[in-house]
């Protein structure tokens, strides 16, 4: 696991976020979801645990910046030297029974975008989001009444780009709202190869698929604390109340600490209990996930059992296969988690842990998405495009059903896959793993047939 790294002078004032354990055990989501107040009352932080952390902080000269019982988080601030002395060895013994984890002890970039800008000389076979939605038979609705959250760790968008893009697509009145987290807001860098490309791709895919949905972009620093706080802010946002969250950032499980993954996983469990679907990109570097240890790795947060892990395909008018352009061109991530146990919904699979991905969609940059970023047109692919694509589809399903789909996994691996509401991808590989009939560690259960999924969910 990654070591703790905090840059800066020893007396520099920094903050960490402590994530407390639940007041009571949280089960898998029932047929009816919890409201935010119900979640807080049943499974929020215990006041005794909050008081214990506050007493610990006072005893060690730390300040309380923010306390939230619903998200079970307490932000503490103090000198870098004090925070490292207290928390770098691990959770202090006096708090071990009260905390799941601590984030903020690493202020280095923790995640990478999962998008690939097409740069080759030959012309790509690119599509608009509307054309992709049509190819996957998405329901002919617009996402009215839905809110889609996007998590972004840097970069930004230009309103002029979006206005121009929506006009080109022939859609109107797409609403984009920015929510700053930890002091970071919409800040375009002018580089489409950097985070700007990710931000534009995410907004333009979900806006193209579900133009009537409200798009809320949570910008945060690219640190474990910034990433966690953005996810938590979206899940517990009682103002915008997203029904689906899309995450196109991640890194191999081996680059995260155990307690950080556990803290994120508990937040994603909150989302499931609230009826919020969470989609995450499965990675763009094949079965190694970009590591150089000659081993297989899966991407986190896609590997969380509460997250819909989205793999990638190459979609042409005549066929759909696993996305794999070789070592230089990228390939869909996928494999088996070494941290998370095999979840109940994957019990029938012959794997040792949580299998990634669950589903797939077009990701190959050569069959990528036409976007506009930093004033110019381009083509972008990667599993970064698949997470917002599925998020947009889920918003359409929610609109048509009149309720949130929420945590889709049990139905996905049961009713939906058994009745062929997904298009099984059976050709190709991502390195170590080969496509096959049924679930595989390249494209999961397959790409969507949107209307077929809706029809089955109605029954």
């Amino acid at each position: 696991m990654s070591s703790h790294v905090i840059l800066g002078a020893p007396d520099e004032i920094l903050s960490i976020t402590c994530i407390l354990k639940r007041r009571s055990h949280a089960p898998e989501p029932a047929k009816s979801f919890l409201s935010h107040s119900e979640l807080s009352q049943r499974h929020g932080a215990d006041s005794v645990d909050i008081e214990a952390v506050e007493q610990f902080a006072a005893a060690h000269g730390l300040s309380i910046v923010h306390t939230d019982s619903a998200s079970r988080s307490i932000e503490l601030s103090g000198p870098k030297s004090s925070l490292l002395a207290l928390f770098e060895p691990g959770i202090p013994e006096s708090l071990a029974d009260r905390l799941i984890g601590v984030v903020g002890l690493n202020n280095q970039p923790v995640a990478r975008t999962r998008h690939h800008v097409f740069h080759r000389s030959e012309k790509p076979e690119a599509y608009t989001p509307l054309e992709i939605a049509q190819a996957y038979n998405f329901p002919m609705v617009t996402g009215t009444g839905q809110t889609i959250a996007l998590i972004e760790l840097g970069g930004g968008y230009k309103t002029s780009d979006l206005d121009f893009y929506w006009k080109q697509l022939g859609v109107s009145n797409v609403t984009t709202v920015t929510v700053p987290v930890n002091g970071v807001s919409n800040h375009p860098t002018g580089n489409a190869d950097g985070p700007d490309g990710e931000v534009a791709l995410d907004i333009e895919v979900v806006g193209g698929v579900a133009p009537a949905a409200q798009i809320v972009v949570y910008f945060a620093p690219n640190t474990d604390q910034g990433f966690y706080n953005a996810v938590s802010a979206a899940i517990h946002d009682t103002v915008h109340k997203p029904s689906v969250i899309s995450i196109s950032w991640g890194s191999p499980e081996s680059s995260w600490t155990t307690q950080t993954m556990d803290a994120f996983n508990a937040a994603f469990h909150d989302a499931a209990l609230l009826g919020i679907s969470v989609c995450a990109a499965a990675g763009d570097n094949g079965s190694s996930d970009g590591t150089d240890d000659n081993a297989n790795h899966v991407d986190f947060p896609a590997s969380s059992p509460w997250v819909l892990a989205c793999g990638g395909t190459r979609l042409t008018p005549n066929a759909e296969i696993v996305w794999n352009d070789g070592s230089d061109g990228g390939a869909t991530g996928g494999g088996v988690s070494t941290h998370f146990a095999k979840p109940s919904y994957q019990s029938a699979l012959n794997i040792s842990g949580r299998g990634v991905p669950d589903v797939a969609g077009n990701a190959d940059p050569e069959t990528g998405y036409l976007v506009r970023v930093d004033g110019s047109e381009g083509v972008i692919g990667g599993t970064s495009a698949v997470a917002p694509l599925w998020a947009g589809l889920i918003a359409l399903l929610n609109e048509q059903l009149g309720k949130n789909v929420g945590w889709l996994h049990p139905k996905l691996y049961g009713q939906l896959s058994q009745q062929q509401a997904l298009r099984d991808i059976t050709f190709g590989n991502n390195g170590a793993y080969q496509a096959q009939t049924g679930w595989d560690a390249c494209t999961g259960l397959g790409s969507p047939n949107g209307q077929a999924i809706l029809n089955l969910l109605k029954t």
Side-chain angles (χ1 to χ4, degrees), residues 345-366:
Y345 54 81
Q346 291 185 325
S347 60
L349 305 182
N350 184 25
I351 50 177
S352 58
R354 155 70 162 141
V356 175
D358 298 301
V359 294
N362 183 50
D364 191 331
E366 291 186 7

Side-chain angles (χ1 to χ4, degrees), residues 27-34 42 272-273 407:
E28 289 189 355
K31 287 186 177 180
S32 60
F33 302 121
L34 301 179
R42 297 183 194 179
L273 292 167
W407 185 52

